[in-house]
């Protein structure tokens, strides 16, 4: 009697053969690899860290009064002017930041998707999950919070969307910040988002060394301290601004 062919064998025979993705030219070929995506995450992450630190230090000028803050904001628009047209470098920085953000998101999603597919199921994965660093698991919710915050923040202080900041006046950067943070729900959004940003930075600043291949037990303690201090400085600085307005220190 003829034996029935197992169903899985039949399915395997009729399933179309999946071609391997065609290798792209360098550096896209590097980005096709897991390590390449990790490098892109790390490099774009460093760009983000430098921006967030620079932005926070710049905003400290708020404590020096309206004129000083306006002077600083104007300075950002006219860097290297008249050698280059007004706002030229501002636009270069904006496009660079946008590019870094898009790449960071794409690499993050690809790595997350890859890890999800290769993760073992059952007992082992649960044990690994529990053992996994708390901060690394938080990336999944702190990332989307930061993304939503950036959209809100631009609508609030850059585009001046009526529904978000009804008192917005173009060019009045100091007044716009004060008007915005005087509303406690808006101040709360800034505080919560910046705490999420701090948690994201803490894990990001620690893991970027690993992504770049710097993983030496002798410096791992230093990596943790660096990541913690960096995150703490950003959160302290950024949370201080809405609090200062709410407490009437900046008005
Ligand atoms: C409480 C903390 C913060 C304050 C007081 C603040 C303040 C401001 C102000 C006043 C502007 C408008 C500048 C201008 O028009 O000249 C601005 C723009 C911007 N901020 Fe913030 N910011 C804060 C936190 C953040 C954070 C955490 C991020 C990123 C994660 C961020 C990203 C941006 C971006 C991308 C722009 C647009 C820059 C441009 O294209 O001109 N800010 N911020």
């Amino acid at each position: 009697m003829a034996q029935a062919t197992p169903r899985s064998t039949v399915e395997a025979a009729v399933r179309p053969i999946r071609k391997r993705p065609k290798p792209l030219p360098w550096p896209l070929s590097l980005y096709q690899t897991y390590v390449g995506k990790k490098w892109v995450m790390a490099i774009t992450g460093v760009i983000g860290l430098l921006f967030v630190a620079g932005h926070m230090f710049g905003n400290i000028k708020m404590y020096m009064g309206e004129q000083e803050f306006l002077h600083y904001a104007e300075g950002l628009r006219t860097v290297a002017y008249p050698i280059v047209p007004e706002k030229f470098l501002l636009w270069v920085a904006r496009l660079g930041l946008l590019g870094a953000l898009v790449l960071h998101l794409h690499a993050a999603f690809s790595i997350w998707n890859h890890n999800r597919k290769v993760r073992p199921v059952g007992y082992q994965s649960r044990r690994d999950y529990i053992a996994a660093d708390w901060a690394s698991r938080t990336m999944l919710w702190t990332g989307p919070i930061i993304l939503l915050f950036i959209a809100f923040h631009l609508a609030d202080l850059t585009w001046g969307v009526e529904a978000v900041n009804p008192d917005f006046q173009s060019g009045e950067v100091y007044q716009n910040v004060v008007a915005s943070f005087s509303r406690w729900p808006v101040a709360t959004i800034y505080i919560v988002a910046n705490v999420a940003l701090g948690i994201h930075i803490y894990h990001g600043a620690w893991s970027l060394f690993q992504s770049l291949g710097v993983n030496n037990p002798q410096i791992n303690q230093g990596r943790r301290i660096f990541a913690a201090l960096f995150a703490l400085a950003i959160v302290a600085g950024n949370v201080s601004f809405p609090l200062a307005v709410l407490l009437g220190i900046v008005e």
Side-chain angles (χ1 to χ4, degrees), residues 53-235:
H55 194 44
M56 191 273 281
F57 278 112
N59 284 334
I60 288 178
K61 295 246 168 182
M62 196 183 304
Y63 292 118
M64 296 170 191
E66 181 167 0
Q67 285 318 309
E68 197 65 34
F69 195 57
L70 284 176
H71 186 58
Y72 157 71
E74 187 53 30
L76 288 182
R77 290 177 176 76
T78 51
V79 179
Y81 175 79
I83 299 167
V84 293
E86 216 182 313
K87 291 193 182 174
F88 178 77
L89 286 189
L90 179 68
W91 273 103
V92 171
R94 280 172 172 167
L95 293 177
L97 273 176
L98 186 65
L101 180 67
V102 170
L103 282 174
H104 196 77
L105 285 173
H106 188 268
F109 184 75
S110 307
I111 291 170
W112 172 77
N113 206 21
H114 169 84
N115 288 345
R116 196 175 54 93
K117 280 183 188 152
V118 299
R119 188 198 298 148
V121 284
Y123 172 72
Q124 175 73 27
S125 73
R126 185 169 155 69
R127 203 179 50 180
D128 287 354
Y129 180 79
I130 293 164
D133 187 23
W134 173 78
S136 75
R137 280 183 274 125
T138 60
M139 300 308 257
L140 280 178
W141 57 268
T142 53
I145 289 180
I146 295 164
L147 210 57
L148 286 175
F149 166 75
I150 293 174
F152 177 83
H153 181 50
L154 292 178
D156 180 26
L157 294 177
T158 301
W159 304 323
V161 174
E162 171 97 32
V164 180
N165 194 349
D167 300 321
F168 182 89
Q169 290 172 56
S170 184
E172 296 296 333
V173 192
Y174 185 89
Q175 292 300 332
N176 293 339
V177 171
V178 173
S180 189
F181 294 169
S182 301
R183 298 184 198 96
W184 71 262
V186 175
T188 310
I189 291 175
Y190 273 82
I191 292 169
V192 170
N194 274 287
V195 171
L197 176 70
I199 297 169
H200 198 87
I201 288 178
Y202 173 62
H203 180 69
W206 147 262
S207 69
L208 73 87
F209 291 97
Q210 194 135 355
S211 303
L212 296 175
V214 184
N215 185 15
N216 181 335
Q218 281 172 331
I219 64 150
N220 279 355
Q221 183 66 11
R223 278 168 62 193
R224 281 254 179 249
I225 295 171
F226 164 75
L229 288 181
F230 198 105
L232 216 67
I234 299 295
V235 176

